[in-house]
């Protein structure tokens, strides 16, 4: 089997909680660029150590097994060498415990192709954009906003982010900053298992939508002609929200068939 070389270096690891981190890497060779919302494969060999708080491998992984998984890029799409990712550790997983053991300067494999059709730039200019995420599903929206927020002053843009605990709300400081800076941007964090200090919403994102949050707080009607939706994260949440949208006449966007909602399940 062809032995793929490591071709990127870790530049930063910021642990946001025990099992989530922002990972920044630098490719040895610049890439041709990408569209915000796309993903790329990260890979490490089975011989790499696992993090201290993970479980042992459930099967032996040879030193020549390159474990690769897709990750959404959170960076501005003008970046060609430095890429940022928001990653949750699956303690029993094959790759994430190895990613969580990386330190700055460590080497890893970055896939050659940057792919994906979860793209803000396929929505019509002027349409309102609702971005719904649980967990690390927030990453593509960070790329959307870093890249496009200043280009779309006529669109209302709303991020609804669900998590269990406050520390799982990745990028919340950046999202709160954008909300202050841009009058057309709104950030709605909600927690299902918050501690007592949490002053914000305490429901699942599905329930916020069904409770007419968009209509009541932002004067946005779920109408496929005017409002496009992105849904990313937990598969159960993705399916529930998709079903809710279809009742309003929405159809799923595919690369070869235009639709008004876009999904990415992890
Ligand atoms: C297009 C795309 C983009 C993705 N982007 C991201 C991203 O930006 N950040 C990110 O962290 N992940 C992302 N993922 C998920 C990622 O590719 C891996 O599946 C994940 O990191 C687990 O890899 P692993 O090798 O550690 O676990 P594996 O050895 O592959 O084991 C996975 C097992 O854990 C379960 N599992 C997977 N994810 C979770 C989870 N979050 N919590 C609990 N159980 C889980 C699976 O059902 C499976 O049983 C993305 C997936 C896709 C398809």
């Amino acid at each position: 089997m062809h032995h793929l070389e490591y071709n990127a270096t870790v530049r930063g690891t910021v642990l946001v909680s025990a099992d989530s981190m922002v990972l920044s890497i630098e490719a040895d060779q610049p890439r041709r660029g990408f569209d915000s919302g796309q993903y790329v494969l990260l890979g490490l060999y089975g011989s790499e150590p696992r993090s201290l708080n993970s479980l042992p491998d459930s099967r032996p992984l040879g030193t020549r097994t390159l474990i690769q998984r897709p990750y959404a890029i959170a960076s501005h799409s003008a970046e060609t060498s430095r890429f940022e990712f928001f990653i949750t550790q699956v303690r029993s997983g094959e790759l994430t415990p190895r990613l969580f053991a990386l330190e700055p300067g460590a080497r890893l494999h970055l896939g050659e192709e940057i792919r994906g059709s979860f793209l803000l730039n396929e929505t019509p200019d002027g349409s309102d954009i609702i971005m719904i995420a649980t967990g690390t599903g927030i990453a593509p929206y960070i790329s959307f906003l870093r890249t496009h927020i200043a280009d779309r002053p006529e669109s209302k843009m709303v991020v609804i982010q669900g998590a269990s605990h406050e520390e799982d709300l990745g990028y919340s400081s950046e999202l709160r900053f954008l909300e202050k800076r841009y009058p057309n941007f709104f950030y709605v964090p909600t927690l299902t298992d918050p501690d007592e200090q949490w002053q914000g919403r305490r429901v699942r994102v599905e329930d916020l939508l069904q409770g007419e949050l968009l209509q009541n707080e932002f004067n946005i009607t779920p109408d496929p002609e005017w409002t496009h939706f992105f849904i990313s994260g937990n598969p159960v949440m993705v399916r529930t929200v998709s079903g809710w949208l279809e009742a309003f006449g929405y159809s799923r966007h595919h690369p070869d068939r235009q639709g008004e909602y876009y999904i990415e399940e992890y």
Side-chain angles (χ1 to χ4, degrees):
M1 195 176 76
H2 181 57
H3 190 79
L4 285 167
E5 296 292 332
Y6 285 167
N7 57 1
T9 303
V10 174
R11 293 295 177 214
T13 55
V14 177
L15 212 55
V16 180
S17 68
D19 292 302
S20 61
M21 74 162 167
V22 175
L23 172 70
S24 306
I25 67 167
E26 182 170 6
D28 294 349
Q29 300 295 331
R31 299 303 162 91
R32 54 157 181 81
F34 68 100
D35 290 321
S36 56
Q38 292 193 301
Y39 64 86
V40 67
L41 296 178
L42 296 181
L44 287 169
Y45 281 97
S47 49
E48 301 291 354
R50 298 173 66 89
S51 67
L52 293 176
N53 64 352
S54 66
L55 302 169
D57 281 319
S58 57
R59 62 177 182 126
L61 291 163
T63 52
R64 294 180 72 82
T65 309
L66 182 68
I67 313 157
Q68 295 192 82
R69 303 282 185 266
Y71 293 95
I73 304 171
S75 314
H76 190 296
S77 71
E79 294 283 355
T80 54
S81 296
R82 290 284 288 245
F83 300 111
E84 183 178 304
F85 304 91
F86 182 47
I87 300 180
T88 295
Q89 174 171 240
V90 176
R91 292 188 178 192
S92 59
E94 293 188 345
L95 183 62
T96 50
R98 291 178 167 83
L99 292 173
F100 273 66
L102 295 174
E103 296 203 345
R107 303 277 292 158
L108 76 166
H109 184 75
L110 173 68
E112 292 304 327
E113 297 275 323
I114 301 180
R115 304 189 185 115
S117 49
F118 192 74
L119 302 174
L120 182 64
N121 60 15
E122 294 200 348
T123 59
D125 285 345
S127 56
D128 291 334
I129 305 293
I130 314 301
M131 294 162 265
I132 299 164
T134 54
T136 53
I138 198 70
Y141 305 145
I142 298 303
S143 180
F144 284 1
L145 295 166
R146 288 176 175 175
T147 310
H148 294 292
I149 192 165
D151 313 338
R152 298 186 70 135
E154 71 295 349
S155 297
K156 282 183 198 161
M157 301 178 92
V158 182
V159 166
I160 304 174
Q161 182 182 27
S164 305
H165 308 288
E166 194 170 359
E167 70 263 25
D168 303 323
L169 290 172
Y171 294 98
S172 57
S173 335
E174 183 165 336
L175 293 162
R176 286 185 212 284
F177 169 79
L178 291 177
E179 188 175 44
K180 289 205 180 80
R181 169 84 176 69
Y182 292 94
N184 59 322
F185 176 67
F186 306 96
Y187 174 47
V188 184
T190 182
L191 298 179
T192 51
D193 192 15
D195 62 23
E196 281 170 16
Q197 280 82 52
W198 174 250
Q199 303 284 316
R201 293 179 173 82
R202 295 167 172 259
V203 285
R204 296 180 312 155
V205 296
E206 300 90 306
D207 299 332
L208 277 182
L209 293 169
Q210 281 158 359
E212 307 203 336
L213 166 95
L214 295 173
Q215 296 91 324
N216 296 339
E217 296 202 16
F218 306 114
N219 195 24
I220 294 174
T221 310
D223 176 335
E225 199 177 337
W226 304 110
T227 309
H228 283 228
F229 281 75
F230 289 83
I231 318 164
S232 141
N234 175 291
V236 173
M237 180 281 286
V238 170
R239 260 171 259 139
T240 308
V241 176
S242 303
W244 178 78
L245 285 172
E246 285 175 14
F248 287 96
Y250 277 79
S251 58
R252 181 178 166 186
H253 182 86
H254 292 276
D256 53 354
R257 186 160 37 87
Q258 190 67 31
E260 308 83 18
Y261 77 85
Y262 301 65
I263 68 174
E264 198 99 288
E265 293 181 34
Y266 328 150

